[in-house]
Amino acid sequence: MSSHGRPLPGEPDRPDPTPTVDLDVDLSSHELLRRAHVLDALGPDWDPVAALRGEEAAYELLYSGLSAEQQRVYDELVSAGVLPRRGGSDAAA
């Protein structure tokens, strides 16, 4: 058999020596366990609202103080849907 899976001239056709088998695995119980471990690792003091506010503040800081060229590129990325619009008409808002 050639490396492309076709028989070489003069070689008889043979069935594929490695048949495929359908395999279904339900990972939903594993996903629930994973989520429980994540929440356990975050601890009882984790505040999702504070985490989101901190993330928003970090984005505002990241996009503040842009030069005119950086602002132009940012606006193009927002217009193209690559970045979400944040604040007002400029990135620092």
Side-chain angles (χ1 to χ4, degrees), residues 16-23:
D16 187 1
T18 54
T20 60
V21 176
D22 289 336
L23 179 64

Side-chain angles (χ1 to χ4, degrees), residues 55-73:
E55 187 174 320
E56 286 296 319
Y59 275 114
E60 294 301 323
L61 197 61
L62 177 65
Y63 294 117
S64 67
L66 299 178
S67 69
E69 175 65 12
Q70 291 168 331
Q71 184 67 51
R72 183 190 63 73
V73 170

Side-chain angles (χ1 to χ4, degrees), residues 13-65:
D13 286 335
R14 295 184 199 160
D16 187 1
T18 54
T20 60
V21 176
D22 289 336
L23 179 64
D24 293 325
V25 178
D26 182 6
L27 296 175
S28 55
S29 64
H30 175 64
E31 177 61 15
L32 289 175
L33 182 61
R34 184 195 68 79
R35 288 181 185 185
H37 285 298
V38 167
L39 290 174
D40 188 43
L42 289 171
D45 297 331
W46 179 63
D47 181 358
V49 175
L52 288 173
R53 284 186 184 134
E55 187 174 320
E56 286 296 319
Y59 275 114
E60 294 301 323
L61 197 61
L62 177 65
Y63 294 117
S64 67

